[in-house]
Amino acid sequence: MNFISTRSGAPATSLDDALVAGLAPDGGLYVPASIPPMPALAPQPSLAATAQRVLMPWFGGSRLRHHLGALCADAYTFEAPLRPLSGDGDHVLELFHGPTAAFKDYAARFLAGALSALRQDGDTDTEIVVATSGDTGAAVAGAFHRRPGFGVTILYPEGRVSPRQAHGLECWGDNVRTFRVAGHFDDCQRMIKAALGDHDLRERRRLASANSISLGRLLPQMAYYAHTAIAFHAEHGRTLGFIIPTGNLGNACAAVLARRMGLPVGDIVLACNANDTLPRYFDGADYAPQTTRATLANAMDVGTPSNFERLRHWHADDTALRAALTAVAVDDATIRDTVRAAPGRHGIVPCPHTATALHALETLRASGDTRPWAVVATAHPAKFDTVVEPLVGYPVPPPPALAECLKRPARGTPMSADADALRDVLLAQEEPVD
Ligand SMILES: *Cc1c(COP(=O)(O)O)cnc(C)c1O
């Protein structure tokens, strides 16, 4: 299976090269040259088993093909349960049972296993550099922690993540180094991009990125949509739609890809926070990236959704794309109201991100919509206790893995919002690239 760039300048690349490169050489995003059809798949006993079957056609010609069973067994060690919401037959797909209590654990673990398996004898250590607005960094740190041949450098914007998110970024040690940057997420991202584009630095240090545009994160996220949709279809004879809390569109693009493979994924709704670039576009306005606004759903604070380029690539024109998805914007006041009412209305405590999707569901139901929907719960509410607990009025205990991380000491280092500061840190542990 070959991959091409959304900007078309680059020659077709193998999956293995695309996984290691992250971004295409012309600055575009890798997309499959064609989307492999998935013949009807019977329900599988585990998420790992579904993952292996759904990913297999993408790995034709990959050196990882024969490792895929083991890679999936190692990455998908926790299920993604679909639970009923109390009341009117709706569901929530819980993606927060991994080590850092957010959906990004699945793909980060798969990517870590894949990059490990692709290492060749004699390779120098690879430094994974990542800018995070909260959850990516922790998932990547957890996935690469103590993994031979890898180090991780995380940049996050100081004071702009929840206290428990900050702890989750700083609790690793060993081969993981965490820097709190005096700036915004956009500064962190700019510093990472500068490092990745610095030819001199890259001759002296083997760097790789793990951000949400990496194919190694996009593809594995199809697994939980496939697993859930197949089981639902087998039981009810209907396709299940998904309402997905959305920032950079990584998670939603995986649902789109699963549907394009022919899996019984129904309609897809993008639930956004007050950063409403996507809702404006899907309501008919020209695509117009905006500067990022800080909201309660901080992992979705994105004004320029990076995977939009992929969505555009997969649809002939704006009309086709607007027919494929819908999007809603949910402001902070509505997020608060939704969290506050959720225990009584739905029998769950949502995190602020999940609350955007829950509100979108309530709006659909109020308008008489009768399609089956799953609200995608992207993080555990205990990660956002300082927002959630005052609203629901009682403590939300952290799940075991998060509790364990909160017990370990936090050790972050301050860094100025300056690309040279990151460069110095990376060169201080120089290991010549051969
Ligand atoms: C990253 C994240 C999102 C947004 O996911 P994208 O793939 O960037 O759209 C939503 N919710 C939570 C909790 C996240 O960590």
Side-chain angles (χ1 to χ4, degrees):
M1 163 118 267
N2 273 329
F3 291 80
I4 55 174
S5 166
T6 46
R7 299 191 188 164
S8 309
T13 304
S14 73
L15 175 60
D16 297 354
D17 289 344
L19 285 178
V20 172
L23 201 66
D26 61 4
L29 277 54
Y30 281 116
V31 284
S34 63
I35 295 176
M38 182 95 242
L41 182 61
Q44 300 295 311
S46 66
L47 181 58
T50 301
Q52 186 186 351
R53 280 172 180 71
V54 169
L55 290 172
M56 190 55 92
W58 300 84
F59 282 74
S62 164
R63 287 199 283 129
L64 298 174
R65 187 176 173 78
H66 300 292
H67 301 278
L68 203 52
L71 281 175
C72 290
D74 288 347
Y76 302 88
T77 49
F78 39 93
E79 292 298 314
L82 184 71
R83 295 196 200 282
L85 294 170
S86 60
D88 36 17
D90 291 310
H91 292 83
V92 58
L93 175 61
E94 293 181 354
L95 300 182
F96 52 62
H97 294 284
T100 71
F103 79 92
K104 294 183 174 87
D105 281 324
Y106 294 103
R109 288 161 63 86
F110 184 91
L111 176 68
L115 292 184
S116 278
L118 286 171
R119 278 178 65 80
Q120 318 250 21
D121 283 349
D123 277 358
T124 50
D125 282 7
T126 300
E127 189 71 11
I128 307 286
V129 289
V130 49
T132 184
S133 59
D135 291 332
T136 298
V140 169
F144 284 92
H145 183 224
R146 296 190 178 152
R147 199 173 267 277
F150 290 92
V152 181
T153 298
I154 301 172
L155 307 188
Y156 80 90
E158 176 155 30
R160 291 189 159 79
V161 306
S162 85
R164 280 189 180 164
Q165 275 179 311
H167 204 110
L169 291 166
E170 296 192 355
C171 72
W172 302 97
D174 303 313
N175 61 337
V176 177
R177 282 144 338 119
T178 308
F179 297 92
R180 23 174 208 270
V181 171
H184 293 262
F185 171 64
D186 293 340
D187 296 312
C188 301
Q189 212 162 23
R190 177 177 47 76
M191 294 160 71
I192 295 289
K193 276 192 186 150
L196 290 170
D198 180 336
H199 293 288
D200 171 58
L201 174 61
R202 296 198 73 166
E203 273 175 16
R204 296 157 73 180
R205 200 78 179 78
R206 187 187 293 268
L207 302 181
S209 79
N211 58 22
S212 81
I213 55 164
S214 164
L215 271 181
R217 288 192 44 203
L218 180 60
L219 299 179
Q221 289 173 173
M222 287 188 293
Y224 40 77
Y225 293 113
H227 190 67
T228 310
I230 290 167
F232 190 89
H233 193 257
E235 196 180 332
H236 303 278
R238 301 181 76 181
T239 55
L240 179 64
F242 292 93
I243 309 176
I244 306 174
T246 292
N248 263 323
L249 277 167
N251 204 4
C253 275
V256 170
L257 263 194
R259 188 169 66 181
R260 289 225 145 188
M261 289 180 81
L263 295 163
V265 170
D267 291 312
I268 298 169
V269 176
L270 312 173
C272 303
N273 59 26
N275 292 280
D276 59 357
T277 304
L278 293 169
R280 281 167 187 270
Y281 169 79
F282 282 98
D283 287 345
D286 286 344
Y287 180 71
Q290 300 168 26
T291 46
T292 305
R293 281 197 266 168
T295 76
L296 293 174
N298 64 11
M300 294 156 41
D301 289 348
V302 176
T304 310
S306 40
N307 282 291
F308 188 73
E309 217 169 306
R310 283 196 169 110
L311 279 187
R312 272 234 159 111
H313 176 89
W314 288 325
H315 298 89
D317 54 24
D318 288 337
T319 310
L321 177 48
R322 290 192 181 112
L325 299 161
T326 54
V328 293
V330 182
D331 63 20
D332 273 358
T334 310
I335 289 176
R336 278 199 196 86
D337 291 344
T338 306
V339 171
R340 196 182 288 119
R345 261 187 217 155
H346 304 286
I348 63 163
V349 178
C351 83
H353 312 79
T354 306
T356 63
L358 205 53
H359 175 72
L361 173 71
E362 291 169 354
T363 310
L364 283 165
R365 290 291 176 240
S367 72
D369 187 288
T370 57
R371 291 168 289 179
W373 290 108
V375 163
V376 176
T378 46
H380 193 283
K383 227 171 160 173
F384 303 90
D385 56 323
T386 52
V387 175
V388 168
E389 289 182 354
L391 292 170
V392 298
Y394 50 84
V396 180
L402 185 59
E404 209 257 310
C405 144
L406 293 171
K407 268 190 281 175
R408 296 202 295 270
R411 41 194 146 185
T413 309
M415 183 181 272
S416 58
D418 172 6
D420 286 339
L422 173 61
R423 187 175 200 276
D424 291 346
V425 159
L426 291 171
L427 283 177
Q429 357 129 33
E430 181 164 1
E431 255 201 82
V433 175
D434 38 31

